[in-house]
Amino acid sequence: MAIAVQKFGGTSLQTPDGRAKAVEHVKAAVERNAKLVVVVSAIGRNPDPYATDTLLSLIGSATLGREKDLLMSCGETIAGVVLTDVLRTNGINATTLTGAQAGIRTTGDHLQAEIEHVDTTRIRKELGSHDAVVVAGFQGQTTEGEVTTIGRGGSDTTAAALGVALQAEKVEIFTDVNGIMTADPQMVSTAKLLTKLTYSDVCNLANQGAKVIHPRAVEIAMKATIPLYVRSTYDLAGGTLITAPENKGLPDQPIIGITHASGMSQISVRGRGAIQKVRTVMQEEINGAGIPVEVATVKDGNLLLTVSSQHIGNILQRLRERNLQPEIVDHCARIAVIGNGLDDHLLLSRMTTEVSEQGIKVLQAKTSETSIRMVVVADELKRAVTVLHDRFCVSGFARTEVR
């Protein structure tokens, strides 16, 4: 039998209208004779009563990870029962399973568990007597019977893992946007829908801040080459197909999309031996502590590091312990232009010039094979992203322009 996997996010299930649209997608799959596994996230967002962050607000910092996992897993279980009820009301024969009941076996790392194995026996049995099996996402169970959660974006990961284990024909991720866009449409009004992308393209976008789908889900699907679709709950057509590349040739248009992240701070360190000292701190302490450095460059004898502002106190302490006196620029933002073959200093120069000509100061810029990253003052973020997007992403800019 043909099996498909659909995943609905919390905002899709938040209202009666959203749940009605979800039913339409499930019905469409059932009517084409597909057996369906439907993965759900917790309903809504804080302060909605069953959203994950709302549940966490009920407890204090003394609660251990084990109990937090038990609490947080309730959100997806509630969502599963609610959607199953709506499906049955609309004539679809459905049942609900928790992650554990669905055979999702995880590591014992509470709050950040990884899926080790999926035993599909129970799901396949239920599909024998039901058209749809609704599975609570974001959760699983260890071999010792402990409930675990698998981190933010965990329902995407659940859907991909089930798709692979069930050898599904496809996995559809339904959300409140039309698919993956060339930029955040709330920031850039000219953002366009990307109708087809490779797994690696989407991983690059997600790792640099695009929030439509979790990169772990894409990596899981990529290993089994199962097609992924990112679609709008409110539209029966359209969306983005994520699949393997059809060819390995470098396209003339190298830019895929643009992402951004705010809440950044820039650290500047100068002085004899300072650069080597900072690099030692990065290698031995910052990287070892899992603190991500967004952009690291050397300019005019200064070593510049841009990091999330939440880590700034920790990093400053480590630098001052080495007798370094860093200077800080707060309220920064990072922009990442994503594509292929971008390790091109002429292209980097062209982009920084375009931004600078608009009166926007580029605090840092760095290029790699798959991204060009810039740091600007947060107040200039929207203008900078719009300039880069409209000039390099949707205007037909080609690589030959910088040769």
Side-chain angles (χ1 to χ4, degrees), residues 329-376:
V329 178
D330 288 319
H331 308 297
C332 297
R334 187 267 297 144
I335 302 166
V337 180
I338 309 299
N340 299 292
L342 299 186
D343 195 3
D344 185 329
H345 289 280
L346 288 174
L347 181 56
L348 173 64
S349 176
R350 181 69 179 273
M351 288 185 177
T352 55
T353 298
E354 291 278 352
V355 172
S356 298
E357 286 178 351
Q358 301 300 314
I360 302 168
K361 185 177 181 180
V362 178
L363 301 176
Q364 275 176 274
K366 188 173 183 179
T367 183
S368 69
E369 180 65 22
T370 57
S371 70
I372 290 177
R373 285 169 287 171
M374 292 185 193
V375 180
V376 298

Side-chain angles (χ1 to χ4, degrees), residues 213-246:
I213 186 170
H214 198 282
R216 282 187 299 172
V218 182
E219 290 163 2
I220 290 169
M222 179 168 58
K223 290 178 181 178
T225 63
I226 288 182
L228 276 174
Y229 290 83
V230 178
R231 301 177 56 191
S232 170
T233 304
Y234 301 92
D235 189 352
L236 288 176
T240 303
L241 167 62
I242 307 168
T243 186
E246 294 178 354

